[in-house]
């Protein structure tokens, strides 16, 4: 018996609600006044991060017409680590620790969005340039940022390196409430901006030539979609840290599970799968591994194995 898309989405919603109930009530011991606000902040951070990563990855893969690529390929994650490393290298680890979380968040988001904007402007300024030039240039910049970060990390004091090391892995344990509000506003704003272009995604999935033949202003729409992708990835990375393989994992699971080309279903499904993966992973980190590892390590391990599987699958086909 083949399930409908609505039934599949309902199953995902049910699993998500079950995990939320377990996450919020496990080992509560009646201390609701203390537990609910702390776990509620984690839950909102997981929801925002999962939605932003899944949303941006599905849109990015539609634009590039490639289900293996993720937005991190244009170097935003590497730029985030370079910024954190550069601050510690110039001013010391205490400067990064004492800096206002709001200022640190806005600096990280601002630099990543500025970099993406300059990259898009340089790329699309001339006729004949396409999305593959963007991927190639972004890959070069990402490698450069990563190499520069590694070089600076070898020059700084080992004790101050520990401060940077905490930024290398995503964490939902100490998310500031003010950052959650700013991130929520940013995600909602991008969702409102995206709404006017959402109707074009199903056609963009057919490829550039078909989209142009069907009357879509391809470069205009693609540039606006890339802005949405850059802002969402910047917000999620600055909020909790980089989770490289999360988008690849949840987007491809959504493609296979939902088996549809309609993007309103794919985006919703991928966001729900992302939420389930993050909250399930956080439960493992807290209850099974007792904080001996981080959530990003688990996600990146599973995502890396899945990436190898996809590569082998593509090679066979």
């Amino acid at each position: 018996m083949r399930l409908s898309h609505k039934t599949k989405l309902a199953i995902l919603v049910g699993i998500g609600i079950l995990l939320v109930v377990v996450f919020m009530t496990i080992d509560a011991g009646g201390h609701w006044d203390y537990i609910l606000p702390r776990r509620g902040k984690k839950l909102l951070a997981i929801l925002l991060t999962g939605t932003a990563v899944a949303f941006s990855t599905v849109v990015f893969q539609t634009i590039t017409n490639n289900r293996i690529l993720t937005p991190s390929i244009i170097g935003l994650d590497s730029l985030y680590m370079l910024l954190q490393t550069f601050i510690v290298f110039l001013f010391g680890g205490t400067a990064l620790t004492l800096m206002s979380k709001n200022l640190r968040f806005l600096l990280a988001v601002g630099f990543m969005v500025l970099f993406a904007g300059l990259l898009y402007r340089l790329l699309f300024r001339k006729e004949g340039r396409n999305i593959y030039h963007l991927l190639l240039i972004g890959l070069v910049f990402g490698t450069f940022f990563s190499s520069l970060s590694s070089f600076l990390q070898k020059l700084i004091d080992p004790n101050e390196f520990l401060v940077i090391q905490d930024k290398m892995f995503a964490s939902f344990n100490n998310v500031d409430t003010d950052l959650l509000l700013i991130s929520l506003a940013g995600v909602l704003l991008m969702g409102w901006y995206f709404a006017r272009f959402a109707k074009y995604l199903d056609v963009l999935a057919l490829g550039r030539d078909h989209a142009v033949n069907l009357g879509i202003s391809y470069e205009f729409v693609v540039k606006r979609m890339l802005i949405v992708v850059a802002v969402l990835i910047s917000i999620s990375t600055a909020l909790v840290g980089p989770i490289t393989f999360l988008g690849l994992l949840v987007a491809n699971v959504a493609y296979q599970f939902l088996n549809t080309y309609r993007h309103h279903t794919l985006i919703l499904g991928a966001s729900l799968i992302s939420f389930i993966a993050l909250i399930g992973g956080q439960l493992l980190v807290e209850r099974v591994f007792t904080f001996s590892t981080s959530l990003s390590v688990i996600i990146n391990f599973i995502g890396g194995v899945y990436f190898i599987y996809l590569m082998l699958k593509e090679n066979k086909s």
Side-chain angles (χ1 to χ4, degrees):
M1 179 180 177
R2 186 175 179 180
L3 300 176
S4 65
H5 297 143
K6 290 183 179 180
T7 303
K8 292 178 179 178
L9 290 176
I11 292 172
L12 293 177
V13 170
I15 295 173
I17 293 174
L18 178 62
L19 287 174
V20 168
V21 172
V22 173
F23 181 78
M24 295 296 288
T25 59
I26 189 170
D27 291 338
H31 304 291
W32 299 110
D33 292 341
Y34 174 76
I35 288 176
L36 289 181
R38 291 176 62 85
R39 293 185 182 178
K41 287 196 298 184
K42 287 185 186 180
L43 197 63
L44 181 55
I46 288 172
L47 178 62
L48 288 175
T49 303
T51 301
V53 172
F55 191 111
S56 56
T57 301
V58 172
V59 173
F60 189 79
Q61 290 181 347
T62 297
I63 293 171
T64 58
N65 201 21
N66 191 316
R67 293 187 175 183
I68 296 179
L69 298 177
T70 62
S72 60
I73 198 172
I74 62 177
L76 294 179
D77 290 352
S78 301
L79 179 59
Y80 170 79
M81 281 311 306
L82 176 60
L83 180 62
Q84 307 301 314
T85 304
F86 192 67
I87 292 174
V88 174
F89 178 76
L90 284 183
F91 307 107
T94 54
L96 191 64
T97 305
L98 296 176
M99 183 184 293
S100 168
K101 290 185 178 181
N102 289 340
L103 178 60
R104 198 166 64 207
F105 176 83
L106 292 174
L107 276 175
V109 173
F111 271 100
M112 286 188 283
V113 173
L114 180 62
F115 165 71
L118 290 174
L119 195 62
Y120 301 160
R121 181 173 291 275
L122 289 173
L123 183 71
F124 289 105
R125 187 171 57 183
K126 294 182 179 180
E127 293 292 333
R129 299 289 180 90
N130 56 38
I131 192 69
Y132 297 106
H133 288 91
L134 170 66
L135 301 178
L136 179 60
I137 295 171
L139 186 62
V140 171
F141 272 109
T143 304
F144 172 71
F145 294 151
S146 181
S147 301
L148 187 56
S149 296
S150 299
F151 174 71
L152 293 177
Q153 288 165 12
K154 288 178 174 62
L155 297 179
I156 64 177
D157 185 88
N159 294 322
E160 293 183 341
F161 175 73
L162 295 176
V163 178
I164 302 174
Q165 195 173 34
D166 290 338
K167 304 297 179 184
M168 291 180 177
F169 306 101
S171 175
F172 296 92
N173 295 324
N174 295 305
V175 181
D176 191 84
T177 305
D178 293 337
L179 298 186
L180 286 175
L181 295 176
I182 296 173
S183 301
L184 178 60
V187 171
L188 291 176
L189 181 62
M190 285 300 101
W192 172 79
Y193 182 74
F194 167 81
R196 59 181 294 199
F197 301 103
K199 58 186 177 183
Y200 300 123
L201 284 179
D202 291 346
V203 180
L204 289 176
L206 299 174
R208 183 183 188 281
D209 294 337
H210 290 292
V212 171
N213 289 335
L214 290 170
I216 292 180
S217 179
Y218 181 80
E219 289 191 359
F220 177 83
V221 175
V222 165
K223 281 191 281 188
R224 269 81 190 153
M225 291 296 95
L226 287 173
I227 291 171
V228 173
V229 169
V231 173
L232 289 177
I233 287 296
S234 300
I235 289 174
S236 66
T237 304
L239 180 63
V240 299
I243 314 179
T244 306
F245 285 105
L246 177 63
L248 175 78
L249 179 64
V250 300
N252 281 277
V253 170
Y255 296 141
Q256 294 186 6
F257 179 65
L258 295 171
N259 193 25
T260 180
Y261 67 91
R262 295 190 177 278
H263 281 76
H264 65 273
T265 302
L266 285 173
I267 290 173
L268 179 57
S271 298
L272 288 170
I273 292 170
S274 183
F275 178 72
I276 290 170
L278 288 177
I279 195 170
Q282 188 66 23
L283 281 170
L284 285 176
V285 169
E286 294 181 5
R287 307 299 166 184
V288 178
F289 297 106
T290 59
F291 296 100
S292 60
T293 186
S294 66
L295 177 58
S296 60
V297 171
I298 298 174
I299 295 293
N300 288 338
F301 172 74
I302 298 173
V305 173
Y306 191 64
F307 177 74
I308 295 173
Y309 163 74
L310 291 175
M311 292 293 291
L312 294 174
K313 182 180 178 183
E314 288 289 327
N315 188 42
K316 286 182 181 180
S317 61

